[in-house]
């Protein structure tokens, strides 16, 4: 078969395959029906995913007034690895070959020629069994790191384009190790901002505010202006254990370099939802005009909590004291639980405590020999109660303020790469034996626990990792305000691209197709100028060479010769 014919037949397969696979890859949220959940009526238990998808499509064509005013794209644990994950990092690729040459050129001391040659043979064997495999694996890892940056970028870029989030968060473990030195930290940080999350911006320090009684708003929800456009570019980055370390590893140096590049590790953001109906505005609490109302101006409070050093012992006690002071100030500046209209969204990294069997990661603690938390899967039960009873004001005592129902809100975190969706609750009817319990969110819904009288509770969503090994997942959180009940509501959905192998497959097929098209184009151009590209160069056969150059003459037949046939 000629080269032109071969390429023509190959392209008949490659072009449709490349077009279909690329079309799916770059529009995967469309094919999977990914969309932010829509605000739903009170009597509707299940999300209408079809309506949400149709509304998202409508946003690309016209506009939509059904979408939630706050739509958070939540990405968990990208964990950018680097040079330290490469086998031959910071050393030459073929050290045994170098030593073999040194032995042969008498640049090493050996007692005899026999031992010198024996050492050369050993080094040459190690070249094949150590150097070559290590170098091959190192090359593979470098290619993998390069591709992984763009795999993560594809998830971020595609969902940001299709789903149209109003805000984006990365829930910790932005990088792959807290132990890396400054040069490697800078390299990975550059890759984070210039490859994986290109176009993103850190939250400015003057916007990321410390909790206070008097505060400036970070923006208005449901209003399209320059500030809203700025928030679509910003990344609310959460500090994780691979960014700054656990309590036993967290130092001021690690914290400062993280905050310099990715933004503050602990702050709050407050967004207000304007109420345009004059009749509803008249029902809002006012110390002079309407002092008896329990309705506050609708407000969404995002609290970015660095919970890496909430548990003890900590390497730096002063940093831990600052973390606890921050949490206490979050509690002290929150609205009273008796009032309605505020919503608290806590973004953090390590999940709250839950018994074994609820999520993939069971409770686990490990400590350094000299003291300090070395590793943990979850917060301790005591630290978790600080969130439930402190920040959210939930209480097992029915006589507590607000009957113990607490504040509306939700916790989003990462760390457990498998993800988990659970519900913390406490049954006030159990008296002195009451305690915090945890169940899966699906089970809580089946038992109708959320909103049940006498059973305060809080939903905690651990977003599955966006790494390729966990399916390239992303979380879609919608939060909206119900003016009839004067409270915020929310819903959550997942959207997973799939493992990184498919991303690699599509781009390799595309590359092969492009190369094949180029070569086929060259052959066609050659044919246009007179070259015969439809035939292979004719090779001389060995049998034909004997007769080559011999002139064949007709055999003379005489009159008396017999003729056959």
């Amino acid at each position: 078969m000629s080269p032109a014919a071969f390429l023509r037949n190959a392209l008949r397969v490659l072009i449709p395959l490349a077009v279909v696979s690329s079309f799916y890859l770059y529009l995967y949220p469309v094919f999977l029906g990914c969309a932010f959940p829509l605000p739903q009526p009170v009597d509707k238990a299940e999300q209408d995913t079809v309506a949400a998808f149709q509304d998202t499509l409508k946003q690309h064509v016209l506009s939509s007034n059904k979408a939630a005013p706050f739509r958070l794209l939540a990405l968990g644990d990208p964990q950018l690895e680097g040079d330290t994950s490469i086998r031959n990092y910071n050393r030459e690729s073929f050290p045994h070959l170098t030593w073999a040459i040194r032995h042969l050129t008498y640049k090493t001391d050996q007692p005899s020629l026999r031992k010198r040659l024996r050492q050369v043979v050993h080094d040459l064997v190690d070249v094949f069994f150590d150097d070559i495999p290590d170098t091959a694996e190192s090359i593979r890892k470098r290619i993998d790191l390069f591709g992984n940056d763009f795999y993560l970028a594809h998830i971020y870029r595609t969902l940001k384009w299709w789903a149209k989030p109003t805000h984006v968060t990365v829930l910790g473990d932005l990088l792959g190790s807290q132990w890396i030195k400054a040069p490697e930290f800078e390299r990975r940080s550059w890759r984070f901002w210039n490859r994986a999350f290109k176009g993103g911006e850190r939250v400015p320090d003057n916007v990321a505010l410390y909790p206070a009684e008097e505060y400036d708003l970070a923006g208005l929800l449901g209003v399209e202006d320059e500030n809203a456009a700025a928030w679509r570019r910003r990344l609310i980055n959460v500090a994780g254990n691979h960014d700054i370390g656990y309590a036993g590893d967290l130092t001021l140096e690690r914290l400062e370099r993280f905050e310099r590049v990715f933004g503050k590790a602990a702050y709050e953001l407050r967004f207000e939802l304007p109420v345009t109906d004059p009749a509803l505005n008249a029902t809002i609490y006012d110390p002079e005009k309407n002092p008896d109302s329990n309705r506050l101006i609708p407000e969404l409070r995002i609290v970015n909590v660095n919970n890496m050093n909430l548990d003890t012992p900590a390497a730096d006690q002063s940093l831990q004291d600052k973390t606890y002071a921050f949490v206490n100030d979050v509690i002290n500046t929150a609205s009273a639980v008796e009032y309605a209209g505020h919503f608290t969204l806590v973004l953090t990294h390590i999940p709250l405590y839950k018994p074994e069997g609820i999520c993939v990661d069971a409770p686990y603690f490990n400590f350094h020999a000299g003291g300090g938390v070395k590793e943990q899967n979850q917060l301790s039960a005591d630290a978790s109660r600080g969130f439930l009873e402190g920040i959210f004001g939930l209480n097992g005592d029915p006589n507590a303020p607000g009957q113990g129902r607490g504040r509306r809100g939700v916790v989003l975190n990462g760390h457990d790469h498998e993800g988990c969706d659970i519900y913390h609750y406490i049954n006030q009817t159990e008296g002195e034996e009451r305690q915090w319990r945890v169940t899966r969110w699906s089970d809580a819904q089946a038992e109708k626990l959320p909103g049940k009288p006498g059973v305060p509770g809080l939903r905690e969503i651990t977003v599955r990792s966006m790494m390729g090994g966990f399916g390239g997942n992303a979380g879609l959180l919608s939060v909206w305000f119900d003016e009839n009940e004067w409270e915020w509501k929310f819903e959550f959905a997942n959207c997973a691209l799939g493992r990184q192998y498919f991303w690699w497959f599509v781009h390799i097929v595309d590359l092969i197709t492009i190369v094949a098209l180029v070569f086929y184009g060259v052959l066609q151009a050659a044919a246009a100028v007179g070259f015969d590209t439809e035939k292979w160069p004719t090779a001389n056969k060995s049998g034909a060479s004997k007769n080559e150059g011999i002139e064949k003459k007709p055999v003379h037949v005489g009159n008396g010769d017999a003729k056959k046939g």
Side-chain angles (χ1 to χ4, degrees):
M1 183 183 295
S2 68
F6 174 78
L7 288 174
R8 189 162 49 245
N9 291 332
L11 288 171
R12 286 170 181 163
V13 177
L14 287 173
I15 290 177
L17 179 61
V19 170
V20 171
S21 59
S22 298
F23 198 73
Y24 175 83
L25 178 64
Y26 283 87
L27 294 176
Y28 81 91
V30 181
F31 287 99
L32 295 177
C34 297
F36 280 100
L38 289 176
Q40 57 185 6
V42 180
D43 56 350
K44 196 168 185 179
E46 295 184 359
Q47 272 290 324
D48 190 343
T49 56
V50 175
F53 174 81
Q54 292 174 345
D55 187 77
T56 304
L57 183 61
K58 186 185 296 183
Q59 293 179 47
H60 286 266
V61 180
L62 300 171
S63 61
S64 171
N65 57 0
K66 295 181 180 180
F70 181 82
R71 303 182 299 278
L72 180 69
L73 174 59
L75 304 169
D77 302 75
Q79 285 195 8
L80 267 67
E81 293 183 321
D83 290 347
T84 54
S85 63
I86 299 172
R87 284 189 182 181
N88 60 8
Y89 167 70
N90 209 23
R91 65 175 175 83
E92 60 179 306
S93 298
F94 295 92
H96 293 97
L97 180 60
T98 301
W99 278 107
I101 295 173
R102 287 174 60 86
H103 294 317
L104 288 172
T105 55
Y106 287 83
K107 292 182 179 179
T108 59
D109 294 330
Q110 296 292 339
S112 65
L113 178 62
R114 183 177 61 85
K115 290 187 176 181
R116 181 178 298 276
L117 293 176
R118 184 176 64 181
Q119 190 61 50
V120 169
V121 172
H122 287 172
D123 285 329
L124 291 177
V125 170
D126 289 339
V127 168
F128 288 96
F129 288 94
D130 288 339
D131 292 356
I132 292 177
D134 281 0
T135 300
E137 172 58 24
S138 298
I139 293 172
R140 186 205 67 80
K141 188 61 179 179
R142 290 180 188 276
I143 296 173
D144 177 68
L145 293 176
F146 182 79
N148 183 68
D149 291 348
F150 292 100
Y151 169 82
L152 299 175
H154 181 75
I155 297 171
Y156 168 64
R157 181 181 60 247
T158 307
L159 281 173
K160 187 180 177 184
W161 161 77
W162 166 251
K164 293 187 174 294
T166 59
H167 299 75
V168 182
T169 182
V170 183
L171 295 165
D173 281 1
L174 285 62
L175 307 182
S177 174
Q178 71 271 34
W179 303 107
I180 55 178
K181 296 181 180 179
E184 177 64 11
F185 177 84
E186 297 300 331
R187 283 193 291 269
R188 296 194 195 187
S189 300
W190 184 91
R191 288 166 48 206
F192 182 92
W193 289 115
N194 293 279
R195 286 184 189 168
F197 295 91
K198 186 176 182 179
E201 302 173 1
R202 71 191 286 278
V203 178
D205 291 345
N206 64 330
V207 176
L209 301 177
Y210 193 86
E213 292 286 350
E214 300 291 333
Y215 52 86
D216 294 327
L217 292 174
L220 299 176
L221 299 178
V223 177
E224 282 300 322
D225 55 13
E226 292 183 2
N227 189 50
W231 276 111
R232 285 194 289 270
R233 296 190 302 269
R234 292 169 180 164
L235 296 182
I236 304 173
N237 292 319
V238 177
N241 55 287
H242 288 305
D243 302 315
I244 60 176
Y246 292 103
D249 309 320
L250 178 54
T251 63
L252 182 60
E253 179 187 4
R254 290 194 177 111
L255 181 61
E256 286 181 341
R257 74 180 185 182
F258 174 87
E259 292 188 326
R260 173 177 55 83
V261 176
F262 299 109
K264 291 182 180 179
Y267 58 90
E268 73 166 13
L269 303 166
R270 299 208 186 213
F271 296 90
E272 187 176 294
L273 180 68
V275 178
T276 56
D277 189 343
L280 290 175
N281 270 317
T283 66
I284 296 175
Y285 169 81
D286 186 281
E288 296 180 359
K289 299 179 181 179
N290 198 9
D292 296 328
S293 175
N294 72 334
R295 290 186 169 187
L296 300 176
I297 297 175
E299 185 178 282
L300 187 148
R301 185 189 198 189
I302 299 176
V303 184
N304 187 349
V305 181
N306 169 24
N307 68 355
M308 300 313 305
N309 58 355
L310 282 178
D311 285 304
T312 57
D316 192 321
Q317 188 61 48
S318 63
L319 290 179
Q320 188 178 60
D321 292 341
K322 288 181 180 179
T323 298
Y324 271 95
F326 174 82
V327 173
N328 288 331
D329 287 334
V330 169
I331 298 170
N332 295 332
T333 56
S335 59
V337 293
E338 296 91 345
Y339 289 86
H342 283 192
F343 185 91
T344 303
L345 169 60
V346 169
L347 304 177
T348 190
H349 183 64
I350 302 177
L352 307 186
Y353 171 81
K354 50 193 71 68
E356 185 176 359
I358 301 295
C359 299
V360 173
D361 283 354
Y364 172 77
F365 272 86
N366 189 17
F367 301 91
H368 290 287
V373 179
K374 182 179 181 181
E375 186 179 359
Q376 61 184 115
N377 284 348
Q378 304 170 1
L379 293 178
S380 64
D382 290 336
S384 300
R385 279 196 297 271
F387 283 83
L388 299 171
E389 299 176 1
I391 295 177
F392 291 96
L394 300 165
N395 202 305
D397 185 358
N399 298 316
Q403 299 177 334
R405 292 192 301 267
R407 303 177 183 90
R408 296 283 297 179
V410 63
V411 175
L412 256 63
N413 49 44
H415 198 52
D416 185 344
H417 297 166
E418 296 288 347
C420 199
D421 193 352
I422 59 96
Y423 189 70
H424 299 266
Y425 68 97
I426 188 168
N427 193 335
Q428 295 176 335
T429 63
E430 294 179 348
E432 296 298 326
E433 297 181 357
R434 58 181 177 256
Q435 60 180 332
W436 283 103
R437 303 182 188 278
V438 185
T439 187
R440 294 180 182 272
W441 175 246
S442 57
D443 295 335
Q445 286 182 302
E447 298 175 23
K448 298 182 178 180
L449 291 176
K452 184 177 181 179
V455 187
L458 177 75
R459 187 176 177 183
E460 177 195 4
I461 302 170
T462 300
V463 180
R464 185 178 174 89
S465 172
M466 71 181 300
M467 289 188 289
F470 298 90
N473 185 69
L476 306 173
L477 176 72
S478 293
V479 185
W480 65 92
F481 190 72
D482 188 330
E483 293 182 343
N484 294 323
E485 298 188 13
W486 208 258
E487 67 177 22
W488 290 87
K489 297 182 178 180
F490 69 94
E491 193 49 74
F492 181 84
N494 284 300
C495 182
L497 164 61
R499 295 177 73 89
Q500 72 273 29
Y501 306 120
F502 178 69
W503 184 92
W504 277 109
F505 169 79
V506 172
H507 288 92
I508 290 172
V509 169
D510 288 348
L511 179 61
I512 294 173
T513 303
I514 292 171
V515 172
L517 281 170
V518 170
F519 273 103
Y520 186 70
V522 171
L523 291 176
Q524 291 297 98
V529 297
F531 288 95
D532 188 359
T533 60
E534 293 297 329
K535 295 181 179 179
W536 288 97
T538 55
N540 294 329
K541 295 183 180 180
S542 58
S545 60
K546 295 180 180 179
N547 299 323
E548 189 174 350
I550 301 176
E551 182 181 357
K552 294 184 178 180
K553 297 182 179 180
V555 179
H556 175 72
V557 179
N559 291 332
D561 294 337
K563 296 182 180 179
K564 293 183 180 179

